[in-house]
Amino acid sequence: MAMPLEDEDTRLPQIRQKANWMRRRALEMVHGKKLGHIGGDFSATDILATLYFGVLRYDPVKPDWPERDRFVMSKGHATGALYTVLCAAGYFPEDWLKTYMGPGSRLNGHPNRNYLPGVEANTGPLGHGFPIALGMAIAGQMSGSAHRTFVLTGDGEQQEGSNWEAAMTAGHKQLQDLTLIIDRNRLQQGARTEDTVSLDPLGEKYRSFGWDVIEVDGHDHAKLLNTLDAAPAQGRPRCIIANTIKGKGVSFMEDKAKWHHGVPNDDEFELAMKELSR
């Protein structure tokens, strides 16, 4: 049964190694298929590596183990990050990554729980994953289950009204085993979030609904681990605003809106792989 290792000194090197592996495999997937969202994959990679190799309780051999922690990838377009972390965690063999978005593949453009073990919910339309995770957390509270529920949304996704209905309900129901992580890379499709619909003061908005709010560097594995693995705040759901960089890890992709769903040409692919191999 795969569980987080107890020793932080052991967990951190593994998290760093897995994150680097995930970035290289995701880049191969997007370059090979000429489709994908590599910028958002890279902003979320360190968060997912920390969750799966430092925090979550799960068993890839028994994906439906009742006591597993739940994770919902609400920003469902970032499949390069999700599929590589599930593969690294042992849910399916590495060869499956080569089928990404191909005919008959289980690795669709958006995750589908009916095809791929480890996917808790079908996501893609933004604003849906958080309400689904809310339902999982409510079910856990009602049944007395010890499972925790984590959900990752994009920051542009926070412009969807359904998220605020979920935020209000989670605070009202005092869902202390629910953790919302916001990938705060400040870019969305073609523009900065603050130029599209302003989000700040994002933390104050969640605090007003009764949430425990923490801001963290979304690429600092040690700080992520301490924050994600911390004991719950009594009677309050937790919102982690993870400040990230879109395209993190590749110099010419970082903080550039064009890489929301840009695809590297052959020269860019070689340069990016070289940078990720250092």
Side-chain angles (χ1 to χ4, degrees):
M1 183 173 296
M3 303 280 282
L5 300 173
E6 294 299 327
D7 181 56
E8 182 174 312
D9 291 338
T10 304
R11 281 188 285 179
L12 283 174
Q14 181 175 223
I15 291 167
R16 294 190 185 101
Q17 179 189 41
K18 297 296 185 183
N20 190 39
W21 182 89
M22 289 166 58
R23 281 193 168 92
R24 285 184 279 126
R25 297 293 85 77
L27 187 65
E28 289 173 344
M29 290 161 57
V30 170
H31 176 254
K33 192 60 185 176
K34 309 300 181 193
L35 290 170
H37 295 83
I38 197 67
D41 291 338
F42 283 2
S43 67
T45 292
D46 295 305
I47 298 167
L48 294 191
T50 305
L51 275 172
Y52 277 84
F53 298 101
V55 179
L56 295 181
R57 297 170 301 182
Y58 58 88
D59 183 352
V61 178
K62 298 177 181 177
D64 296 325
W65 174 43
E67 297 303 314
R68 73 192 185 282
D69 291 329
R70 274 61 164 175
F71 171 70
V72 176
M73 184 72 158
S74 191
K75 47 177 288 183
H77 55 284
T79 46
L82 179 64
Y83 293 159
T84 53
V85 82
L86 291 177
C87 177
Y91 282 97
F92 56 85
E94 188 174 345
D95 280 354
W96 289 18
L97 295 179
K98 299 175 183 175
T99 71
Y100 179 58
M101 283 203 265
S105 174
R106 298 174 183 234
L107 279 63
N108 295 351
H110 293 105
N112 189 321
R113 69 183 307 277
N114 298 309
Y115 299 151
L116 199 64
V119 174
E120 293 283 357
N122 297 8
T123 53
L126 298 179
H128 288 186
F130 185 8
I132 293 171
L134 171 76
M136 293 176 178
I138 292 173
Q141 185 186 63
M142 292 177 67
S143 65
S145 170
H147 83 254
R148 301 168 296 174
T149 303
F150 297 81
V151 53
L152 176 65
T153 75
D155 53 358
E157 188 177 357
Q158 289 292 311
Q159 295 156 353
E160 303 286 348
S162 52
N163 284 323
W164 296 102
E165 295 178 36
M168 182 167 53
T169 303
H172 172 73
K173 290 188 172 294
Q174 302 182 342
L175 297 173
Q176 66 182 38
D177 290 324
L178 173 64
T179 297
L180 163 69
I181 309 160
I182 300 173
D183 183 353
R184 188 73 167 113
N185 59 45
R186 298 183 178 274
L187 286 171
Q188 56 192 119
Q189 188 171 14
R192 297 205 168 271
T193 54
E194 301 310 289
D195 293 335
T196 305
V197 175
S198 178
L199 294 169
D200 285 329
L202 190 54
E204 290 306 310
K205 291 172 182 174
Y206 273 91
R207 288 190 182 94
S208 74
F209 286 129
W211 286 64
D212 175 42
V213 179
I214 301 171
E215 289 203 39
V216 66
D217 180 341
H219 301 299
D220 186 320
H221 297 130
K223 291 180 180 176
L224 278 171
L225 183 59
N226 288 334
T227 304
L228 289 165
D229 210 23
Q234 190 64 38
R236 286 184 294 166
R238 177 165 290 157
C239 171
I240 297 174
I241 300 174
N243 293 304
T244 62
I245 298 171
K246 205 156 204 170
K248 174 68 176 179
V250 175
S251 59
F252 60 85
M253 293 183 180
E254 290 188 354
D255 200 35
K256 301 288 195 307
K258 68 167 283 190
W259 291 103
H260 176 81
H261 52 56
V263 175
N265 60 33
D266 291 347
D267 290 340
E268 291 169 333
F269 172 74
E270 293 298 332
L271 178 57
M273 288 297 282
K274 185 177 180 180
E275 291 190 13
L276 293 173
S277 298
R278 290 172 182 165

